Amino acid sequence: MKPEMRYIGKEMSRVDGVAKVTGKARYASEYKVNNPAYGYIVQSEIAKGTIKSIDVSKAEKLPGVLKILTHRNSLKVEEQSRQFRALQNDKIVFCGQPIALVIADTFEQARYAANLVSVEYDREQSATDFDNLGRTQTRSSPARGKPAEEFEAAPVKIEAEYSIPIEHHNPMEPHAATAFWEGDKLTIFDKSQGVYGVRGHLARSFGIAAENVNVISLFVGGAFGASLNVNYYPFITALAAKEVGRPVKVNYTRRQMFTGHGYRPYTAQKVSIGAGSDGKLRSIIHEAATNTSSYEDFTEGTTRFGRTLYQCPNYDSPYYLLKSDLPTPTWMRAPGAVSGAFAIESAIDELAYKLDIDPVELRLINYAEKDPDSGKPFSSKELKTCFTRGAKKFGWERRKMEPRSMRDGNWLVGWGTATGTWGAFQAPAGVNIRLNNDGTVLVGSGTTDIGPGTYTVITIIAAEVLGIAPEKITFKLGDTDLPRAPSQGGSLTTASVGSAVYGAAGEVRKKLLSFVDKKDGSPLFGAKFEETELADGNLRLKNDPSKGIRIVDVLKEAQMAYVEVDYQSSPSPERQNYTTMAHGAQFVEVKVEERLGIVKVTKVVEATACGRIINPLTSHSQEMGGVVWGIGMALHEATEIDHRYGKMMTTNLADYHVPVNADVHFIETEFVEEKDEIVNELGIKGMGELCLVGIPAAIANAVFHATGKRVRDLPITPDKLL
């Protein structure tokens, strides 16, 4: 029997919280360097064509201007990659493409000079209207069973089309970098979700050894996938620093954020569901098309979402790309899954009404006990408990089935539900632990923290497995001088780095035990490794905690200043025998003003099963953040494009709408903990994406229940309800 956790599962405030609220935390453009220069990006005004001429003569004569980089004098990189690189040639492939970088003594000088750069283009006709773009089929999972034949034969059918517009990440911190060279060694502070990816990119760009590039990203003011790929600005920032021989800072403006790092792609979907009159699913055909750029193919798992969700013997999930003259999309929180869930979970709700079966009951009728795609068992799955517990908290039993049957004065009331799921991923990760003889610990790993609380949860895990109080532990991250770890994305960081800390702690215990084994009088003399534990500052016997030695005394008696371990963890081979997923059930109440079509999300209950919860305090914040994001996706967010010019128009936070405090009401989160030692030794699954996945669909379903109008094209705005 394992002992009760001392730190894991207990609420703990963020260890980096004080630094963030007092301004001590440094972000990419805030690092102090000697005599910095500033770069300002000049962008193209057309979406497709070539640069006929570019005149920088007026700009470069201005006071303070040091250099202006264009495709004519930029370093050319020979790399076999289709990913966009700035200033490589005269070709224009999207509106807002960087075509010059003005470097000056001050930001204001650089910005003013940028306005004087004159460009003439040979314009070509751009294509950004998705309804008129040709489709190219790309990768998709093989069909399961005979979905087309079974759909035709099914007595009950649903066919519906859904769409989601382009949506943009809008983190509080704009993308930025600060770079400087010391000889042939480059140091760059970057807003990044993966410092090792940036290091490799820059090393290849400049033809230098990776060890000569140090990438640092200690704090990130939100990213949500916008910094998973290496963006174009680190290269031109480092190049600028090399050219002018001094540190250079480059910072996106808010408008540049809309063309500088990708976005959630436009997504068009068609769902065909065949079922029996008993509600059992017989066939699902889930088809999706997303846009990409003309120069790079970006795909995401939009149609894979539902393949493991329901017990359905016949399933097909074709996927298509739409080539457009826009920048390449990228991953945005819950990529693919939240888009796919909007279509599938809306269609399931439509089927429930056609069958006159409660939407929760219909989901339970088709509950998958095993992975219907592979036949493998789930390592753990408490989705059924999520639905029953969430429904009880929400009061679902009081729901009337008929649309427009519930109201509050002039407000129509609607209740909707949906399912969320996300893979329980783990990647190889490295960690270094140094345990000092004064009882303090330094833990280091080259992962990043984009906001979910990685500094805190890894501190908690280290405290638990090393048996040392959290206040004595310092966790360092975001630096390529630290052991290699995965990028923060896919909700895998805690599972990956946490597993490395767990393994490293075992190696620390082995070393400590080797010191005391040599002492005949030791209470641990002859003890086997598996009989010991680190707890309460002691190395002691598991079955008799009174027999042990203080960790600091072990080191002092061994005349050791510290014990240090480097450890690399990898996912267990046993995982291959199972499907590893996290699950959740969402319940939403909306109120719709009958005369004006205004929609308010007034109540949300989200029940989530995602393994062991390390820190309930920050975990609840993650869940609430996912709900708020879902409100934005369902009701507010859309990037508008003027197809005449291939230009994104809503490139500011006045025109691109996101939820504000007035849009957020009651949110309750409930965790259904799972004991899952197959996913990893600590039983950790990710939650950062999962908490968003079903929310837009649940809101859309609630709006239908309130109004009787099925909105299949997001966002749900008043004009669509009037």
Side-chain angles (χ1 to χ4, degrees), residues 300-594:
E300 58 182 23
T302 313
T303 58
R304 291 203 304 269
F305 165 80
R307 294 186 68 99
T308 63
L309 195 55
Y310 295 113
Q311 187 56 52
C312 180
N314 305 285
Y315 205 110
D316 198 11
S317 52
Y319 184 86
Y320 301 88
L321 281 180
L322 309 170
K323 288 277 191 178
S324 66
D325 294 313
L326 291 169
T328 307
T330 194
W331 299 281
M332 186 171 176
R333 193 174 188 176
V338 66
S339 305
F342 170 62
I344 285 287
E345 289 298 281
S346 294
I348 290 291
D349 197 71
E350 297 196 40
L351 179 64
Y353 276 94
K354 194 161 189 176
L355 292 165
D356 195 26
I357 296 175
D358 178 86
V360 170
E361 183 184 349
L362 181 62
R363 286 169 170 82
L364 296 180
I365 287 171
N366 294 286
Y367 191 83
E369 297 289 353
K370 289 186 175 182
D371 179 352
D373 233 13
S374 66
K376 295 178 182 179
F378 292 101
S379 61
S380 58
K381 184 182 180 182
E382 291 294 336
L383 177 57
K384 194 174 290 185
T385 307
C386 290
F387 266 110
T388 55
R389 195 181 295 182
K392 185 176 181 180
K393 273 187 173 290
F394 190 83
W396 188 261
E397 73 279 359
R398 300 193 305 273
R399 180 183 188 269
K400 298 176 183 178
M401 185 72 175
E402 299 77 21
R404 301 181 69 90
S405 60
M406 300 167 66
R407 67 167 54 239
D408 178 10
N410 290 331
W411 296 84
L412 300 169
V413 178
W415 288 3
T417 188
T419 308
T421 186
W422 188 259
F425 303 119
Q426 183 185 341
V431 69
N432 172 272
I433 292 181
R434 176 181 287 195
L435 173 57
N436 301 308
N437 65 8
D438 62 358
T440 61
V441 180
L442 183 62
V443 181
S445 182
T447 189
T448 53
D449 185 351
I450 63 173
T454 305
Y455 276 108
T456 306
V457 293
I458 299 302
T459 298
I460 290 172
I461 291 169
E464 187 71 54
V465 297
L466 291 170
I468 291 175
E471 56 268 22
K472 293 187 176 182
I473 294 173
T474 300
F475 176 51
K476 292 189 174 183
L477 53 66
D479 192 325
T480 49
D481 282 346
L482 297 169
R484 182 183 288 269
S487 302
Q488 184 158 84
S491 298
L492 56 73
T493 302
T494 305
S496 304
V497 180
S499 295
V501 172
Y502 178 92
E507 296 302 309
V508 168
R509 181 155 52 98
K510 282 180 183 177
K511 286 193 173 186
L512 292 173
L513 189 60
S514 71
F515 300 151
V516 301
D517 256 350
K518 301 168 185 175
K519 301 178 177 59
D520 292 347
S522 167
L524 298 176
F525 180 72
K528 296 179 181 177
F529 171 75
E530 59 272 14
E531 297 171 342
T532 63
E533 65 178 0
L534 296 173
D536 298 330
N538 297 305
L539 173 63
R540 68 189 193 189
L541 293 177
K542 289 179 183 177
N543 60 2
D544 187 357
S546 65
K547 291 185 177 179
I549 307 173
R550 292 175 67 224
I551 294 171
V552 294
D553 291 339
V554 173
L555 290 172
K556 287 175 182 177
E557 289 178 16
Q559 297 183 331
M560 300 284 292
Y562 58 85
V563 59
E564 187 170 18
V565 165
D566 285 298
Y567 189 86
Q568 179 80 20
S569 69
S570 295
S572 164
E574 189 182 9
R575 285 172 56 102
Q576 302 303 314
N577 301 321
Y578 296 84
T579 294
T580 54
M581 306 286 289
H583 299 87
Q586 294 81 35
F587 297 86
V588 169
E589 176 186 82
V590 301
K591 292 184 178 179
V592 183
E593 215 291 339
E594 190 171 15

Side-chain angles (χ1 to χ4, degrees), residues 155-178:
V156 183
K157 297 183 179 69
I158 288 289
E159 283 188 281
E161 295 185 7
Y162 307 86
S163 71
I164 301 169
I166 283 176
E167 298 171 350
H168 269 88
H169 323 66
N170 271 288
M172 290 181 67
E173 179 200 12
H175 286 56
T178 302

